[in-house]
Amino acid sequence: MNTLEKDLMTVDDLIEQTGLGRTKINDLLKRGELASLKVGARRLVRTSVYVEWLDSLESKNN
């Protein structure tokens, strides 16, 4: 299954999809730039939130 077909993404999914490092992803989560859910010890991001975040980056750069 393609990462974007899943409803929730793990930090590892985000690292693979973006090419960013774990520290940067965790920083984005901590600052609230990427809204996340905590389930037990796992930090998850809705795929729709990830797509909106990407769109916002494109808007900022145009």
Side-chain angles (χ1 to χ4, degrees):
M1 176 180 287
N2 183 322
T3 300
L4 290 177
E5 293 174 347
K6 297 191 299 187
D7 187 40
L8 296 171
M9 299 175 73
T10 64
V11 170
D12 287 337
D13 292 335
L14 291 167
I15 290 167
E16 181 180 327
Q17 198 69 32
T18 63
L20 298 173
R22 184 172 304 277
T23 302
K24 182 63 176 179
I25 295 293
N26 286 331
D27 185 49
L28 292 168
L29 295 171
K30 184 177 179 182
R31 291 192 327 236
E33 288 188 40
L34 269 172
S36 65
L37 310 165
K38 182 124 183 185
V39 180
R42 296 181 76 192
R43 182 66 62 181
L44 302 168
V45 174
R46 289 192 181 280
T47 302
S48 60
V49 169
Y50 168 69
V51 171
E52 288 173 15
W53 174 74
L54 282 179
D55 290 344
S56 75
L57 291 178
E58 288 178 3
S59 296
K60 288 178 187 177
N61 290 325
N62 288 330

